[in-house]
């Protein structure tokens, strides 16, 4: 365990592939190694496994009957460390009480380990089924051979194989040695849906649930190594700034008891990608000493101005609006939009803006690294251990084979912990001081040096005929692109970003055009939970409500009419994964379900209103109905929210509900109070007093999640619930008080305003 201090029964085991095959298993164990063929070839000199199946995950059954499954994705509250292994256990017909999870370190052999983009179940549901089915098939074949009966008469049931005609039984452990010698099935039969024991079932317990709720779970900051040091880093307030002569300031810091060194971290070179930002690290014998040392350092420290000192949020917002107002690059076009708008009986135009946002996960970034003659070993709460491994190797000038990244539990991530800059900081400092070093980011560090969600401006225009039907549709979006993080000078959105709820407009409008504008980046831009869907869904969902009111129609009815006949959108890769076509009928179904469950059209108290919005993202369909209340002083509250989701096959329904509940609170936080702003290139917010989140007493008193039963392939769950929340809220506010909010956050516009009668 390399010095990792944990309670044995709660250990997150971190092992290399060789260690897994050689150290955890006895001789004769049945081992099934899964993943893309090109990623799972054995290294030269590596011990061969008794049996190898390239299907989906690492799976091993010991002679004792114990089943070990490698969890290769990161657990940050979604339950993925439970959900994916449950798929294997279901097909294997394993007793879940006899399953042990082994957390994979960062290694390309496991396939993608980036727990991001709501892709874990989407990408690994079928491969994991095949892995479990292959092992089950081999165990059944071994039992049949032992009894001298046809394999068709043998069936695996809850950790043993049963011969139906005679009632004879053999446990999995008894069959391991014989099964390991059998040829691997090329296309093992999968269980029918009716035979699933875990997948789709209610009330499944989290594998990590008890240690999490009792406070015994191991997160990044819990890891301890002998002789370790603690470090915090003073970073430039403006992206790209460098410290001026800092020797005197460093001497002041080193005068603090417990401070042992002040180390300069090299500034990043363009593109910044996942590199550390640079700055001055204070290394000490305790976190307190490091923090006090940095405080002393910063009292005298000055920074050379960075290249982005002219960045001010109000000015930048106007630049985004100016970009969105101008004709831009076409991302989708059909018909003659210009002529349709010119001939319209009524022209409706609206502009929407959203600010920068921070991830603000409960656990700020942290990492512990130990660099020695053998290489570098890291313990970190990372969503992307492979990227962390690559970045550490690059920073230290080591081959990746010399770097081990062990994954702890994550106290939230939302996309921030896919970027391993903080992991590389720990590795660089460990090499410099010759001891294990844990880098700790405070909340202030987290908010002032994030990979921010991009601010955006969206221009919307539609023409209506005399009956209020849409005859022409134009939309433009302008925002700094995530591409700027990886390509210097990138000032336009990527196709991937435009495909997040903007190009894939689902409405039945023949004359339609989608464009994008230019927007340079002045901070690090990164993906945050649901990414560009946040501002695209806000604009489209709000605009449909505005059109309904301009036409004198019910917003829900108007939205359904605008969808048109049920059909499959032919968008190719512009609309996301081409394996998952956009079915407007599925979007219609969640709209109807949410409206029905919310009692759309019911009588409400004065000052209350209902708003509805729907959006497809990450291959799932979600509709939200918000009940908002606005008092005479303009204070907004949300008594109730109803959410309907069609995510295809819901592997773990309880986790789906939990993710949707969290998405509503997350989305309401962003819409009501979320805002990061810059002045002179520096971020103005520093903690939760000025970067606010929804408080407990502000959360909806009623939050109802409605799952649409489906046998379609699984879609994403962690992110799709966020995008429709803001437009549904603002539509509800408009219904409650007559005021339309087009610029987020909401409270910047309503808190001091009187309710409009």
């Amino acid at each position: 365990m390399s010095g990792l201090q944990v309670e044995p029964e709660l250990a997150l085991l971190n092992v290399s592939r060789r260690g897994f095959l050689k150290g955890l298993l006895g001789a004769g164990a049945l081992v099934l190694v899964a993943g893309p063929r090109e990623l799972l070839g054995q290294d030269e000199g590596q011990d061969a496994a008794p049996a190898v199946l390239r299907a989906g995950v690492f799976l091993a059954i010991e002679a004792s009957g114990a089943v070990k499954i490698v969890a290769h994705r990161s657990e940050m509250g979604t339950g993925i460390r439970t959900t994916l292994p449950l798929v294997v256990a279901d097909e294997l017909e394993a007793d879940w009480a006899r399953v042990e999870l082994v957390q994979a370190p960062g290694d390309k052999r496991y396939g993608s380990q980036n727990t991001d983009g709501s892709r874990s179940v989407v990408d690994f549901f079928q491969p994991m089924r095949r892995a479990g089915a292959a092992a089950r098939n081999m165990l059944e074949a071994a039992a049949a051979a032992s009894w001298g009966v046809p394999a068709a008469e043998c069936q695996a049931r809850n950790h043993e194989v049963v011969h139906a005609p005679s009632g004879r039984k053999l446990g999995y452990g008894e069959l391991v040695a014989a099964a390991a010698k059998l040829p691997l099935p090329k296309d093992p039969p999968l269980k029918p849906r009716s035979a699933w024991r875990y997948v789709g079932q209610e009330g499944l317990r989290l594998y990590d649930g008890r240690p999490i709720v009792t406070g015994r779970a191991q997160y990044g900051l819990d890891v301890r190594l002998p002789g370790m040091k603690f470090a915090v880093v003073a970073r430039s307030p403006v992206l790209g700034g460098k410290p001026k002569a800092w020797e005197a300031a460093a001497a002041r810091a080193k005068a603090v008891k417990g401070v042992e060194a002040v180390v300069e971290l090299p500034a990043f070179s363009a593109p910044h990608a996942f590199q550390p930002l640079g700055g001055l690290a204070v290394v000490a014998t305790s976190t307190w000493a490091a923090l006090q040392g940095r405080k002393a350092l910063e009292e005298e420290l000055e920074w050379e101005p960075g290249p982005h000192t002219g960045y001010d949020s109000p000015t930048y917002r106007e630049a985004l609006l100016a970009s969105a107002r101008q004709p831009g690059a076409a991302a989708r076009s059909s018909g003659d939009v210009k002529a349709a708008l010119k001939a319209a009986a009524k022209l409706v135009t609206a502009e929407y803006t959203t600010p920068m946002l921070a991830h603000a996960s409960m656990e700020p970034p942290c990492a512990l690294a130990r660099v020695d003659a053998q290489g570098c070993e890291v313990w970190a709460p990372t969503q992307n251990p492979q990227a962390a491994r690559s970045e550490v190797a690059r920073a230290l000038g080591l081959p990746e084979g010399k770097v081990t990244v062990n994954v702890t539990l994550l106290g939230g991530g939302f996309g921030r912990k896919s970027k391993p800059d903080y992991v590389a900081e720990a590795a660089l400092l460990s090499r410099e001081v010759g001891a294990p070093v844990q880098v700790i980011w405070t909340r202030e560090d987290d908010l002032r040096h994030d990979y921010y969600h991009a601010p955006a401006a969206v221009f919307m225009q539609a023409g209506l005929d005399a009956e209020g039907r849409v005859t022409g549709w134009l939309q433009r979006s302008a925002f700094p692109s995530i591409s700027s993080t990886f390509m210097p000078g990138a000032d336009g959105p990527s196709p991937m970003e435009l495909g997040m709820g903007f190009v894939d407009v689902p409405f039945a409008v023949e004359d339609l055009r989608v464009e994008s504008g230019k927007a340079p980046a002045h901070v690090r831009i990164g993906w945050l939970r649901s990414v560009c869907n946040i501002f695209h869904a806000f604009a489209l969902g709000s605009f449909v409500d505005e059109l309904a009111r301009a036409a004198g129609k019910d917003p829900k009815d108007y939205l359904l009419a605008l969808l048109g006949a049920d059909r499959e959108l032919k968008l190719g890769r512009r609309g996301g994964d081409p394996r998952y076509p956009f079915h407007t009928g599925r979007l219609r179904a969640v709209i109807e379900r949410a409206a029905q469950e919310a009692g759309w059209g019911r009588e409400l108290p004065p000052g209350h209103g209902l708003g509805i919005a729907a959006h497809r993202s990450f291959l799932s369909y979600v509709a939200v109905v918000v009940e908002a209340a606005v008092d005479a002083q303009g204070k907004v509250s949300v008594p109730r929210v109803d959410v309907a989701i069609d995510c295809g096959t819901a592997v773990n329904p309880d986790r789906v509900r939990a993710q949707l509940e969290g998405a509503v609170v997350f989305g309401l936080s962003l819409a009501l109070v979320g805002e990061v702003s810059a002045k002179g290139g520096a971020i103005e917010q520093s903690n939760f007093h000025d970067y606010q989140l929804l408080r407990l007493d502000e959360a909806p008193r009623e939050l109802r999640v409605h799952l649409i039963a489906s046998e379609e392939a699984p879609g994403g769950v962690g992110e799709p619930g966020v995008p429709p929340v803001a437009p549904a809220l603002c539509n509800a506010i408009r219904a409650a008080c007559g005021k339309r909010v087009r610029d987020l956050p909401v409270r910047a516009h309503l808190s001091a305003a009187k309710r409009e009668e």
Side-chain angles (χ1 to χ4, degrees):
M1 296 290 289
S2 303
L4 181 61
Q5 298 176 7
V6 292
E7 298 179 62
E9 72 275 18
L10 302 178
L12 277 165
L13 301 177
N14 289 281
V15 294
S16 66
R17 181 173 186 246
R18 182 183 301 183
F20 176 67
L21 298 177
K22 188 175 181 179
L24 290 181
L25 307 174
L30 172 61
V31 181
L32 294 143
V33 184
R37 287 184 178 272
E38 64 273 19
L39 297 181
L40 289 171
Q42 290 185 338
D43 292 337
E44 184 178 352
Q46 187 177 39
D47 296 321
V52 178
L53 170 68
R54 293 175 170 89
V57 293
F58 289 158
L59 167 64
I61 307 173
E62 293 186 323
S64 65
V67 172
K68 291 190 168 87
I69 302 173
V70 168
H72 70 305
R73 310 290 270 195
S74 300
E75 179 57 69
M76 52 185 163
T78 65
I80 200 61
R81 253 174 59 88
T82 300
T83 298
L84 285 179
L86 272 171
V87 176
V88 182
D90 199 326
E91 285 290 341
L92 179 60
E93 271 293 318
D95 179 355
W96 184 246
R98 303 185 69 181
V99 171
E100 178 182 349
L101 303 190
V102 182
Q103 184 65 47
D107 196 313
K108 65 183 181 181
R109 296 186 185 93
Y110 298 102
S112 171
Q113 291 179 267
N114 188 14
T115 312
D116 211 331
S118 298
R119 299 288 308 189
S120 292
V121 174
V122 170
D123 289 344
F124 288 95
F125 180 61
Q126 286 300 110
M128 287 195 169
R129 291 188 70 194
R130 289 194 294 270
R136 171 171 48 81
N137 183 272
M138 296 168 73
L139 291 164
E140 290 170 341
S146 173
W147 292 321
V149 300
E153 295 180 356
C154 300
Q155 184 178 12
R157 296 178 188 169
N158 196 31
H159 232 83
E160 57 188 12
V161 177
V162 178
H163 180 234
S166 67
R168 286 176 290 180
K169 300 178 182 179
L170 284 172
Y172 281 2
E174 299 173 273
L175 294 167
V176 161
K181 299 175 183 177
L182 296 176
L184 298 173
K186 294 182 178 180
D187 189 17
L190 302 177
K191 291 167 61 175
R193 183 178 291 261
S194 60
W196 288 350
R197 296 175 56 222
Y198 303 133
V199 174
Q201 301 304 307
E202 305 279 357
L204 298 172
R205 291 186 177 183
L206 282 175
Y207 183 84
D208 306 289
R210 184 174 295 276
I212 287 173
V213 300
T214 57
R216 295 181 294 160
Q218 303 295 314
Y219 292 86
L221 278 177
D222 297 323
V223 184
R224 292 292 181 267
L225 294 177
M228 66 183 287
K229 311 298 180 183
F230 303 84
V232 293
V233 181
R235 304 173 184 85
S236 170
V238 180
L239 183 65
K242 298 179 181 180
K244 293 183 179 179
W246 49 272
E247 288 75 11
R252 184 183 180 96
K254 286 189 281 189
V256 174
K257 183 178 180 180
V259 173
E260 295 186 345
V262 176
V263 179
E264 183 174 16
L265 287 170
F268 68 86
S269 56
H272 45 74
F274 298 148
Q275 300 176 67
L277 284 170
L280 299 173
V282 178
V283 184
T285 55
S286 69
T287 304
W288 175 253
L291 289 169
Q292 295 306 303
R294 184 173 70 173
K295 182 178 179 181
L297 175 80
E298 291 179 328
E299 288 176 354
E300 292 191 10
L301 185 61
E302 294 185 19
W303 298 90
E304 295 178 1
H308 300 286
T309 52
Y311 179 41
D312 290 290
S313 290
T315 303
Y316 191 75
R317 175 183 176 275
E318 292 304 316
L320 288 177
L321 282 168
S323 179
R325 289 167 184 158
Q326 299 299 316
R332 178 182 173 188
S333 184
S334 61
D336 190 339
V337 175
K338 185 176 181 180
L341 295 176
K342 185 177 181 180
K346 179 183 289 188
L347 194 63
V348 181
T349 303
E351 296 173 337
Y352 305 89
T353 65
T354 58
M356 277 195 300
L357 299 168
H359 295 83
S361 55
M362 183 181 297
E363 171 201 44
C366 60
L368 171 61
R370 179 177 59 198
V371 178
D372 54 27
Q374 283 69 50
C376 177
E377 188 164 14
V378 166
W379 293 262
T382 173
Q383 291 176 243
N384 194 347
Q386 292 170 352
R389 189 187 195 200
S390 297
E391 182 58 31
V392 167
R394 185 207 61 79
L396 297 178
L398 292 174
E400 286 193 15
K402 293 286 188 178
V403 178
T404 300
V405 175
N406 302 304
V407 183
T408 68
L409 291 176
L410 286 68
F414 308 129
R416 171 59 180 100
K417 291 169 186 169
S418 291
K419 300 99 174 165
D421 54 326
Y422 58 99
V423 183
E425 286 178 339
L428 288 167
L429 291 173
S430 176
R431 182 179 66 178
E432 182 67 24
V433 303
V437 174
Q438 186 175 68
V439 165
I440 299 164
W441 285 48
T442 64
R443 181 61 62 197
E444 290 77 8
D445 296 329
D446 181 41
L447 288 176
R448 289 174 171 164
H449 304 288
D450 199 1
Y451 285 80
Y452 299 98
H453 176 69
V458 181
F459 174 91
M460 303 292 301
Q461 191 170 69
L464 305 182
D465 65 16
E467 285 74 39
R469 294 185 292 261
V470 175
T471 58
W473 185 285
L474 173 65
Q475 61 187 50
R476 301 192 191 106
S477 181
F479 55 91
S481 172
I482 293 171
S483 300
S484 63
T485 298
F486 306 99
M487 296 185 295
D491 60 357
S494 67
M496 173 195 71
E497 291 168 305
L498 291 175
M500 292 181 170
F502 206 61
V503 171
D504 49 341
V505 181
F507 306 133
V509 180
E510 291 185 4
D511 299 300
L512 183 147
R513 186 172 175 86
V514 177
E515 298 177 350
S516 64
K518 298 288 188 180
H522 298 288
V523 295
R524 298 190 297 181
I525 301 296
W527 41 92
L528 175 143
R529 187 178 188 178
S530 83
V531 206
C532 303
N533 290 286
I534 291 175
F535 42 76
H536 289 151
F538 172 56
L540 270 68
S542 298
F543 192 56
V544 171
D545 191 82
E546 295 209 47
L547 294 178
R549 296 185 182 281
K553 307 289 186 180
D554 175 87
K556 183 262 294 182
D557 294 341
Y558 195 88
L559 173 58
L560 291 172
L562 194 54
L563 277 178
D566 293 351
R567 66 201 185 281
E568 179 182 314
L569 298 185
K570 304 295 185 181
L571 296 171
R573 293 194 175 276
R574 294 181 303 168
D577 192 331
R579 297 174 300 169
Y580 289 75
F582 191 147
H583 290 288
T584 62
R586 296 176 71 183
L587 190 61
R588 175 184 299 277
V590 294
I591 294 169
E592 292 173 338
R593 177 70 179 275
Q596 176 188 358
E597 297 286 354
W600 184 264
R602 61 187 162 92
E603 187 175 347
L604 296 169
H608 287 235
L610 293 180
I612 191 168
H615 194 72
R616 179 196 188 252
S617 63
F618 303 96
L619 313 177
S620 291
Y621 304 77
V622 177
V624 174
V625 175
V626 170
E627 179 184 344
V630 184
D631 67 17
Q633 286 70 47
K635 181 180 179 181
V636 179
S637 59
V638 181
R640 176 173 167 177
V641 178
D642 284 85
V643 187
I645 181 171
D646 177 355
C647 61
T649 297
V651 176
N652 192 337
D654 288 344
R655 292 299 94 205
V656 175
R657 291 190 183 90
Q659 287 300 294
L660 268 291
E661 290 167 353
V664 168
V665 175
F666 190 91
L668 288 174
S669 284
L670 301 186
L672 286 168
V673 295
E675 182 175 20
V676 171
S677 58
K679 184 176 182 179
I683 301 303
E684 295 185 284
Q685 289 71 28
S686 63
N687 211 310
F688 290 138
H689 69 289
D690 50 10
Y691 185 76
Q692 297 183 42
L693 302 177
L694 212 64
R695 289 345 193 228
L696 182 61
D697 63 344
E698 298 171 311
R701 291 186 178 273
E702 291 185 74
L703 206 174
R704 306 184 184 193
V705 177
H706 314 286
L707 275 59
I708 301 256
S710 174
E711 295 189 5
E712 297 281 351
V717 169
E719 295 168 275
V722 175
V725 173
L729 170 68
C730 291
N731 295 340
I733 290 170
R734 171 62 179 81
C737 70
K739 184 174 180 63
R740 171 66 62 184
V741 177
R742 298 189 183 96
D743 306 296
L744 297 181
V746 168
R747 287 186 182 167
H749 305 283
L750 282 184
S751 59
K754 296 292 185 181
R755 181 164 57 87
E756 299 178 13
E757 299 295 342

